[in-house]
Amino acid sequence: MSAVEKMTPAEARLARVTLPEGMGPARRAALDRLVAMGLPGRRDEYWRWTNPTDLIAPEPVPAAPFVDDEPALFGDVERLKIVFRDGVFDAEASDDLALSGVEISRLSEARDVNWASGLYGTLETAGQTPVERPFAALNTASAEDGVLIRVTGKVETPVNLIYIHESESSDAILHHVIKLEEGAEITVLENGPAGARANLVMEVDVAKSARFHHIRVQGRDHERRMLTGIFARISEGALFKSFTLSSNGALTRNECVLDIVGDDANAHVAGAALGDAKTRPFHHDDTIFITHGAERGESRQVFKKVLKNGAQGVFQGKILVKPGAQKTDGYQISQALLLDEDSQFLAKPELEIYADDVQCSHGSTTGAIDETALFYLRSRGIPTEEATALLVLSFLADAIEEIEQERFRDEIVTRLEGWLARHRS
Amino acid sequence: MLEIKNLHVKLEEEDKQILKGVNLTLEDGKVHAIMGPNGSGKSTLSYVLSGRDGYEVTQGEAHLNGLNLLEAEPEERAAAGLFLAFQYPVEIPGVGNMTFLRTALNSQRKARGEPEISAGDFLKLVREKAKSLKIDAEMLKRPVNVGFSGGEKKRNEILQMAILEPKMCILDETDSGLDVDAMRLVSDGVNALRDGTRSFLVITHYQRLLDHIKPDVVHIMADGRIIETGGPELALEVEKNGYAALLDKHGIAQEMA
Ligand SMILES: Nc1ncnc2c1ncn2[C@@H]1O[C@H](COP(=O)(O)OP(=O)(O)O)[C@@H](O)[C@H]1O
Ligand SMILES: [Mg+2]
């Protein structure tokens, strides 16, 4: 047997990592980190409930692209489109990367002089402690494309990252760096499945008094496997707000590591996931880590999952309040609505508090449709399936409420209604 | 016409008989009241008629204008014109009252083979009905019954009734928890719907609601049966003497009440 044949899948994956040009030191450091920690196994504390095998495998599991007939997401919104096709920037389909108040460049064209070179991989590195996130290090080391966005003013027009999946075997690795200067504001929209397998990392540096809004819709593909990592640093008086809608997908793991480093900052992260494993598997995992390292910080985690026909949901959410982070207000809720007895939700809420004057709460519930409410609706003439759909929307409402801008909220609700209409009984 | 014959109902999960042979015929356009001590089975009767799970009919039947109620789904009963104003209206966070009302109305229309109401006509309809019940626009925008006071919830039930225009309305203790003013609003709302063909079954513990909504017939229910039937004077008698004498007369132990 040759040496190659004896390698484990993880070793084979690591052996294949190549470092693209640009961001050289950061990439080499990331590779060192990656080799030191290795890829995760089922015995790793935060991988017990989500099987990393398909994310580790040297080649992605083939995944058929899904073609939907819905109007383009955010299509009515004036936005700057940046399109990636199977993980590769598509200049043709993208708009000019020019927007007032913003500098946008491609990672693949950035050389080490770029403003981003001091930031690339930095927040990801910080996010490796105390919990290792090897796939994010893999991403930093090997991402060939992505965007570097520097926001200097209040930007009205959202930047829309659109991820198209066309090839059955694409392995998309994208790394974005977003830096909001003091007082800046931007909305970043992300949508699409990205590839047969995708590893997407976004580092976001939110400077003093800046405001970052993020709304993400992970496409309707059933077979794609996706791992995402958001690493954000939130400074004094700044706001970070992220919402994700996931419907379908064989495997999704959304990690979000938020670091509140300045006083009076806000960090809100929310998600709504809908899975129906009737014809294809659905496994969805939200793994969140919020660190309060400054005073009077407010954080919210609001996660809701609707699971049917054996779909699986995981939530691992932690609030860490460091010594001195007084008057912290941390809130966390994770809830699953199981539409049958085959579906499953596993939740691990964690609080670790080293300051005495803080207010933190967390809750997790798993439940079925409320029979009393269902009867109330039916007694008014609403048929069971439609009544159930209304109650699902009712269940998801708190998560949707986390979206600040009404136009996006409405669009998300429309997509939810579409999914519910397609997945009746 | 609502016809209930020898209705026997037990709890599905428990060996507990709740209705023990209820007979009642309610003609079109009439108002019947059912009074009775707590626990006598009044709410159970209203739930069984509207199709709530958890009960098992062991004997008897119930028909509304020829529809076998006991075999129909709750939504079919609603489309056939049955409406229950709940004793405890249910809160549904995240679903706007307007969405709820429109979905209900259109579902019923669809079931009856009628066209859906246009958004404009619907708005007009709701505004008009809401106004007479002193329900403000703010309350219509809020999620169904969430953050409503007791009185607001009951008014919201009557609003639904006014919009859905059922043929047969069952009101389960709609007066409970209402102050005098709220009671007047609700009764006026109900009386406005009395058109000579619509029927009402008014369940109440107290006589005072019947001062406002004047019944044609009054039934007294105890221990799962209708033990007395009479005119409005029967309600006054109960008001004066309480249920004790009646229960005694029928040999029903007080602790049952
Ligand atoms: N779902 C239920 N589970 C247990 N007991 C019930 C249930 N529904 C009704 N009952 C019992 O049946 C009897 C009648 O109740 P109910 O119909 O609510 O009476 P009323 O409305 O006249 O006060 C009571 O003894 C009550 O406790
Ligand atoms: Mg009752």
Side-chain angles (χ1 to χ4, degrees):
Chain A
M1 260 198 252
S2 75
V4 172
E5 281 168 296
K6 274 192 223 143
M7 279 198 248
T8 65
E11 286 162 350
R13 183 78 188 277
L14 291 184
R16 283 166 151 236
V17 173
T18 54
L19 306 186
E21 270 182 60
M23 306 293 174
R27 290 183 187 279
R28 282 189 293 277
L31 182 57
D32 288 346
R33 275 198 300 285
L34 174 60
V35 170
M37 57 190 143
L39 286 164
R42 288 308 284 275
R43 256 165 296 158
D44 284 272
E45 192 186 346
Y46 288 93
W47 288 96
R48 276 201 308 240
W49 294 336
T50 294
N51 187 344
T53 304
D54 293 342
L55 299 170
I56 290 170
E59 298 289 343
V61 180
F66 180 82
V67 183
D68 70 50
D69 49 7
E70 283 186 300
L73 197 72
F74 309 124
D76 295 336
V77 178
E78 196 198 315
R79 65 212 151 115
L80 183 115
K81 298 193 293 290
I82 302 177
V83 180
F84 295 91
R85 203 172 291 277
D86 290 308
V88 180
F89 178 73
D90 183 339
E92 232 17 30
S94 300
D95 293 328
D96 263 352
L97 302 185
L99 191 60
S100 151
V102 197
E103 289 167 28
I104 306 174
S105 42
R106 290 177 55 194
L107 172 63
S108 60
E109 288 174 353
R111 290 298 169 254
D112 298 311
V113 290
N114 197 288
W115 58 266
S117 59
L119 200 51
Y120 186 88
T122 308
L123 303 183
E124 174 261 297
T125 307
Q128 297 288 350
T129 338
V131 180
E132 291 178 346
R133 303 170 197 281
F135 291 110
L138 172 76
N139 180 300
T140 299
S142 61
E144 299 208 11
D145 230 328
V147 278
L148 310 172
I149 301 177
R150 180 165 168 258
V151 190
T152 50
K154 285 196 189 304
V155 181
E156 287 283 326
T157 309
V159 169
N160 189 184
L161 307 174
I162 300 171
Y163 305 125
I164 296 169
H165 168 207
E166 277 181 357
S167 152
E168 277 213 1
S169 56
S170 53
D171 199 9
I173 304 181
L174 295 170
H175 192 119
H176 311 300
V177 179
I178 301 171
K179 184 174 168 61
L180 284 88
E181 301 290 1
E182 185 172 332
E185 178 162 8
I186 197 166
T187 298
V188 172
L189 308 170
E190 284 186 286
N191 60 281
R197 179 170 72 180
N199 177 339
L200 311 176
V201 164
M202 181 184 279
E203 295 181 281
V204 190
D205 191 17
V206 194
K208 190 175 167 186
S209 305
R211 298 168 70 85
F212 177 71
H213 302 270
H214 176 231
I215 294 154
R216 172 166 68 177
V217 179
Q218 300 184 296
R220 278 176 54 192
D221 284 41
H222 294 273
E223 297 177 9
R224 60 119 184 102
R225 286 161 177 81
M226 185 185 287
L227 179 128
T228 70
I230 294 174
F231 296 86
R233 176 164 64 195
I234 305 149
S235 300
E236 187 185 333
L239 171 80
F240 173 98
K241 236 170 147 40
S242 173
F243 172 88
T244 301
L245 170 66
S246 324
S247 57
N248 310 339
L251 176 64
T252 308
R253 163 116 158 182
N254 292 328
E255 296 196 13
C256 190
V257 183
L258 308 179
D259 209 356
I260 295 179
V261 298
D263 293 341
D264 303 295
N266 296 285
H268 298 180
V269 53
L274 302 113
D276 181 350
K278 190 172 185 175
T279 54
R280 279 157 292 199
F282 176 88
H283 182 100
H284 189 282
D285 172 339
D286 284 299
T287 294
I288 316 295
F289 199 113
I290 299 184
T291 304
H292 284 264
E295 291 190 17
R296 295 177 303 277
E298 188 229 10
S299 70
R300 289 175 66 79
Q301 302 173 45
V302 181
F303 286 88
K304 304 261 183 165
K305 297 187 205 294
V306 178
L307 305 170
K308 64 191 291 189
N309 293 312
Q312 292 180 332
V314 172
F315 174 81
Q316 310 181 101
K318 180 157 182 172
I319 304 173
L320 169 65
V321 181
K322 286 189 169 173
Q326 302 297 7
K327 307 267 187 241
T328 284
D329 181 355
Y331 174 75
Q332 178 195 95
I333 183 86
S334 66
Q335 295 182 300
L337 178 62
L338 306 184
L339 296 180
D340 53 59
E341 281 167 12
D342 301 328
S343 300
Q344 190 187 31
F345 178 57
L346 298 164
K348 182 169 152 175
E350 291 178 284
L351 284 180
E352 203 177 320
I353 301 176
Y354 298 103
D356 50 15
D357 184 15
V358 303
Q359 193 184 323
C360 282
S361 65
H362 65 72
S364 181
T365 65
T366 304
I369 285 280
D370 177 353
E371 288 298 328
T372 308
L374 184 65
F375 172 63
Y376 188 64
L377 295 175
R378 293 179 71 197
S379 79
R380 297 312 184 235
I382 304 172
T384 310
E385 289 183 351
E386 206 165 341
T388 304
L390 278 177
L391 293 176
V392 170
L393 286 176
S394 161
F395 167 77
L396 294 171
D398 293 343
I400 309 298
E401 277 298 305
E402 292 291 316
I403 304 172
E404 205 169 282
Q405 300 113 308
E406 194 175 346
R407 56 182 177 167
F408 297 128
R409 214 162 46 215
D410 291 347
E411 182 144 10
I412 295 294
V413 169
T414 305
R415 299 288 154 157
L416 286 171
E417 287 169 343
W419 190 92
L420 290 167
R422 293 188 299 272
H423 292 263
R424 291 198 164 169
S425 75
Chain B
M1 190 164 75
L2 176 69
E3 279 184 288
I4 305 168
K5 283 189 195 147
N6 195 29
L7 190 63
H8 285 71
V9 171
K10 68 177 275 291
L11 291 178
E12 209 169 54
E13 308 261 282
E14 268 175 67
D15 213 12
K16 182 171 176 181
Q17 198 73 32
I18 299 176
L19 299 184
K20 303 172 179 173
V22 175
N23 289 288
L24 193 150
T25 301
L26 211 170
E27 269 147 24
D28 291 352
K30 298 289 182 201
V31 177
H32 284 208
I34 298 187
M35 301 181 71
N38 279 328
S40 55
K42 305 183 298 293
S43 290
T44 301
L45 176 65
S46 72
Y47 286 146
V48 170
L49 292 176
S50 45
R52 187 175 188 151
D53 281 343
Y55 304 100
E56 188 185 327
V57 177
T58 51
Q59 248 191 83
E61 46 193 274
H63 287 86
L64 176 66
N65 301 327
L67 174 75
N68 182 349
L69 285 179
L70 303 180
E71 283 184 356
E73 297 295 333
E75 53 268 36
E76 292 168 346
R77 303 180 198 203
L82 184 73
F83 182 92
L84 168 64
F86 280 50
Q87 181 171 0
Y88 304 107
V90 181
E91 297 185 6
I92 308 184
V95 176
N97 218 5
M98 288 296 262
T99 306
F100 164 60
L101 288 168
R102 204 181 55 237
T103 310
L105 182 58
N106 280 332
S107 298
Q108 293 201 12
R109 288 185 166 224
K110 212 164 133 192
R112 292 193 292 257
E114 297 162 12
E116 294 200 348
I117 189 168
S118 75
D121 287 351
F122 174 72
L123 211 63
K124 237 172 74 190
L125 177 72
V126 175
R127 286 216 184 107
E128 178 200 315
K129 306 283 185 191
K131 202 171 154 202
S132 57
L133 285 160
K134 294 216 163 68
I135 288 176
D136 59 27
E138 194 47 42
M139 212 171 118
L140 290 170
K141 271 192 237 151
R142 275 189 272 160
V144 181
N145 293 326
V146 177
F148 288 27
S149 69
E152 285 175 332
K153 283 182 182 166
K154 296 298 171 85
R155 270 187 280 154
N156 199 27
E157 293 292 286
I158 306 303
L159 174 68
Q160 293 165 39
M161 201 162 95
I163 285 166
L164 297 172
E165 301 188 310
K167 296 189 183 113
M168 170 76 233
C169 309
I170 306 175
L171 281 71
D172 189 3
E173 305 232 11
T174 298
D175 51 336
S176 68
L178 294 190
D179 60 26
V180 181
D181 292 339
M183 176 120 83
R184 176 158 294 282
L185 267 179
V186 164
S187 321
D188 288 351
V190 172
N191 288 329
L193 290 168
R194 290 177 72 168
D195 62 355
T197 56
R198 183 169 291 128
S199 317
F200 295 85
L201 187 60
V202 181
I203 297 173
T204 179
H205 190 69
Y206 302 103
Q207 195 270 337
R208 59 174 194 165
L209 180 68
L210 305 180
D211 285 340
H212 300 285
I213 306 172
K214 298 237 157 39
D216 300 298
V217 177
V218 174
H219 307 277
I220 308 295
M221 190 163 183
D223 191 22
R225 261 181 303 248
I226 288 172
I227 56 167
E228 292 266 337
T229 295
E233 73 286 350
L234 187 54
L236 293 167
E237 189 192 319
V238 166
E239 177 75 359
K240 214 169 114 206
N241 305 327
Y243 290 108
L246 278 174
L247 296 180
D248 259 1
K249 179 176 153 195
H250 291 271
I252 296 166
Q254 284 286 336
E255 48 275 18
M256 286 303 300

